[in-house]
Amino acid sequence: MANTKSSLKRAEIAERNRLRNKAYKSAVKTLMKKYINAVAVYTANPTPELKQEAQVRLSEAYAKIDKATKRGVLHPNNGARKKSRLANKLKPLTQAVAQ
């Protein structure tokens, strides 16, 4: 256990930051799952409305990933990798429908 006043304060700050980081990471995972589900629904029945829904979910996930990266919760390469993987889920489907 921390003894000095400064080490007690650092422990409190570390706990506060840990909880904030946990919230960001949880939100990123939730938005990624919602996007993947939207893509799965679009794959089963490709309509313009479902494609639009997937695009909206993608932009929400991108925004949260970018914000987490900016705040230092995610490493920049980690954020870029997550965004790339999300984009690659929808890319083959939109190309197949366009042809």
Side-chain angles (χ1 to χ4, degrees), residues 50-66:
L50 292 176
K51 182 179 180 183
Q52 181 64 28
E53 177 68 20
Q55 292 286 0
V56 168
R57 298 284 184 207
L58 179 64
S59 66
E60 290 172 353
Y62 269 21
K64 187 56 91 171
I65 291 169
D66 286 339

Side-chain angles (χ1 to χ4, degrees), residues 31-49:
L31 290 172
M32 288 175 68
K33 286 177 189 174
K34 285 183 179 180
Y35 167 72
I36 290 169
N37 288 339
V39 170
V41 170
Y42 174 68
T43 303
N45 183 17
T47 64
E49 295 82 20

Side-chain angles (χ1 to χ4, degrees), residues 6-97:
S6 62
S7 61
L8 286 169
K9 183 175 180 181
R10 290 306 308 167
E12 290 173 7
I13 292 170
E15 179 64 12
R16 182 190 68 204
N17 291 345
R18 183 187 71 82
L19 293 173
R20 183 184 306 130
N21 292 347
K22 183 178 170 184
Y24 266 104
K25 287 182 180 182
S26 175
V28 166
K29 288 178 190 176
T30 301
L31 290 172
M32 288 175 68
K33 286 177 189 174
K34 285 183 179 180
Y35 167 72
I36 290 169
N37 288 339
V39 170
V41 170
Y42 174 68
T43 303
N45 183 17
T47 64
E49 295 82 20
L50 292 176
K51 182 179 180 183
Q52 181 64 28
E53 177 68 20
Q55 292 286 0
V56 168
R57 298 284 184 207
L58 179 64
S59 66
E60 290 172 353
Y62 269 21
K64 187 56 91 171
I65 291 169
D66 286 339
K67 194 161 192 173
T69 301
K70 184 176 101 176
R71 301 271 190 243
V73 175
L74 297 176
H75 189 277
N77 290 355
N78 189 319
R81 184 177 66 244
K82 286 181 187 303
K83 288 168 56 173
S84 175
R85 288 181 177 173
L86 291 178
N88 286 334
K89 297 264 187 223
L90 190 61
K91 187 176 178 182
L93 301 174
T94 54
Q95 289 177 343
V97 173

